[in-house]
Amino acid sequence: MSVSVKVVNILSSEELRRTLRRLASEIVERTRDLSQLVLIGIHTRGVPLANLLASQIEGLENVKVSVGALDITFYRDDLDQIGLRTPAKTSIPFDLTGKTVVLVDDVIFKGRTARAALNAVNEYGRPEVIRLAVLVDRGHRQVPIHPDFIGKQLPTAAEEIVKVYLEETDGKDGVELIKD
């Protein structure tokens, strides 16, 4: 028996670029003081997304936004289900106390990564507010977490896979839905 895998293009490179521009605009609109804004990318693809959003915000508002990188491996409650991972390097070289922190991730699914990121952020200060920006929201939450900024709402079946490609990590930009 052969298994046929169907790949559906969700966002092209150009659509991804436009989506990031819109997300950056929404973040600017909802941030009272841009000098207090920091973006924290969740490894792996949240980090380059945070850098891309920071560049967009700088282009829009001529304000340099601090960007950090967060690995949440040791804060997860489902390590037994996802298997062993080699942690990436967390780099948050600034105090988060009083800041407007926007956690950035590529896809939100069950919400466990975002929950772990909320726990991890507390080790770096007490932010004024923490918001969540995701490129794709595919539903199926297991915890009561909802992103503040959503690039693309994508209803999926639980067994489907959403794959984000970024030039920096994958050599191309785009989002695909993979169905069995």
Side-chain angles (χ1 to χ4, degrees):
M1 254 194 199
S2 69
V3 177
S4 80
V5 174
K6 183 176 180 187
V7 177
V8 179
N9 188 34
I10 301 301
L11 292 176
S12 67
S13 177
E14 178 62 25
E15 291 166 327
L16 180 71
R17 189 182 60 73
R18 281 195 307 263
T19 299
L20 289 172
R21 188 176 333 131
R22 180 179 48 78
L23 281 172
S25 294
E26 289 176 13
I27 291 168
V28 166
E29 287 173 12
R30 294 213 19 222
T31 303
R32 281 183 316 189
D33 182 358
L34 290 176
S35 71
Q36 296 301 306
L37 175 65
V38 298
L39 302 178
I40 307 288
I42 301 170
H43 279 291
T44 297
R45 284 175 183 76
V47 176
L49 283 171
N51 285 312
L52 290 167
L53 286 169
S55 294
Q56 288 285 334
I57 292 169
E58 187 173 352
L60 289 169
E61 296 295 316
N62 201 27
V63 173
K64 184 120 176 87
V65 177
S66 296
V67 179
L70 182 65
D71 179 78
I72 51 88
T73 301
F74 297 120
Y75 295 89
R76 295 192 69 102
D77 65 356
D78 58 354
L79 281 175
D80 59 328
Q81 295 172 4
I82 64 171
L84 290 175
R85 293 183 173 187
T86 303
K89 182 166 175 40
T90 291
S91 173
I92 303 177
F94 38 81
D95 184 16
L96 299 182
T97 302
K99 301 289 187 187
T100 296
V101 172
V102 177
L103 293 170
V104 180
D105 204 5
D106 58 348
V107 178
I108 187 167
F109 182 29
K110 296 176 182 177
R112 294 193 176 281
T113 298
R115 187 211 46 83
L118 288 169
N119 290 340
V121 158
N122 289 325
E123 305 237 345
Y124 297 91
R126 187 175 186 282
E128 177 72 25
V129 64
I130 302 173
R131 296 201 168 103
L132 177 60
V134 298
L135 184 61
V136 178
D137 180 351
R138 62 172 294 190
H140 303 283
R141 247 25 123 250
Q142 292 179 341
V143 293
I145 290 178
H146 183 76
D148 300 279
F149 309 103
I150 301 169
K152 176 83 173 166
Q153 195 90 38
L154 182 65
T156 63
E159 66 277 359
E160 293 173 329
I161 297 169
V162 175
K163 183 74 177 140
V164 174
Y165 299 98
L166 298 173
E167 185 69 40
E168 183 176 308
T169 54
D170 307 297
K172 66 178 183 174
D173 288 329
V175 177
E176 295 175 345
L177 178 65
I178 302 168
K179 305 177 180 190
D180 281 337

